[in-house]
Amino acid sequence: MFATLSDRLTSTFKNLRTKGRLSEADIDATVREIRRALLDADVAVPVVRSFTGAVRERALSAEVSGALNPAQQVVKIVNEELVAILGGQTRTLNLAKNPPTVILLAGLQGAGKTTLAGKLALHLKGQGHTPLLVAADLQRPNAVTQLQVVGERAGVPVFAPHPGNQGSEDLLPFGADPVAVAREGLATAKTKLHDVLIVDTAGRLGVDAELMQQASDIRDALDPDEILFVIDAMIGQDAVTTAQAFADGVGFTGVVLSKLDGDARGGAALSVASVTGKPIMYASTGEKLTEFEVFHPDRMASRILD
Ligand code: GDP
């Protein structure tokens, strides 16, 4: 991911290195190249506009003109602005004062929520937490079973409406009501002393009102400490509109970028934090449960400019 963007930016800066001082025309040419690289990488247009505006303004200021090595200064500015659009500081999980901490996962079908549930559970278990996974995705055949498989792999228990036998109609004892399942999951976490509850919810292939309503109902029933919006980094420009729809429809506290191991352009995913004002908290980088990382905006920016 981001390999092309990284190459383009690096070669832009290489051209600058041969220059002693930078004229306004040099800076404008550089900013134009940065703009093209970002647009070609699918970064959302408003994000590109504010990003290049900030870079140009700072580059034209004394920061660069008085510097001994102007090229390095420009790289530094681009780096800082990249960190800013990626959310600034690393944001850690908001843990409840009175456990359990409730984490709700939202996103489109196929975004990687169920996989992420297992990854996050494993990660938190490694930190000494005692998570419980809740299967509140009752739309998709096999979603419950899939979470059970993931839970087993992570060594984390799963609260499910009906162990196994997903194909049957009797999702007893809670019927097919994901809100009831989520509530019972929370009650179970309290009685069995799980300090974190991770709730997998249903997705649809596209944004729709029923999906938003269901996620909102679960949110209202649980009053979560975190709502993580999981977004497939490979879906391109749709990432921004989807994120905005979830921000308006359900609301979320943080973003998880999934499938960052793919070779897509990925710039839209880079826009999500900036467009929604919510930080990227985790990145999913493969199908294995260990292919997961806490997202550090500064490290991602350095990786892109490496
Ligand atoms: P959900 O519908 O949102 O619950 O999505 P799933 O967790 O079922 O993921 C959908 C597909 O994407 C599955 O085949 C996963 O194995 C795959 N997947 C999930 N996360 C990643 C990732 O970070 N990288 C890759 N390459 N595949 C992933």
Side-chain angles (χ1 to χ4, degrees), residues 195-209:
D195 69 344
V196 181
L197 191 73
I198 302 172
V199 184
D200 190 18
T201 65
R204 296 277 199 287
L205 288 173
V207 172
D208 81 3

Side-chain angles (χ1 to χ4, degrees), residues 108-116 119 137 140 146 200 258-261 284-287 291:
L108 294 181
Q109 183 177 317
K113 287 183 300 302
T114 306
T115 310
L116 189 271
K119 291 177 173 190
D137 176 356
R140 194 160 51 91
Q146 194 193 336
D200 190 18
S258 74
K259 311 191 191 178
L260 269 196
D261 49 311
S284 204
T285 56
E287 296 194 61
E291 288 170 320

Side-chain angles (χ1 to χ4, degrees), residues 6 29 58 97-98 102 107 113 123 133 138 154 166 177 191 205 209 215 232 240-241 248-249 266 279 282 289 297:
S6 185
R58 290 182 60 187
K97 283 199 189 75
N98 297 314
V102 177
K113 287 183 300 302
H123 170 73
L133 289 161
L138 309 184
Q166 246 294 287
D177 179 3
T191 53
L205 288 173
D232 176 343
V240 172
T241 41
D248 297 340
Y282 302 104
L289 291 190

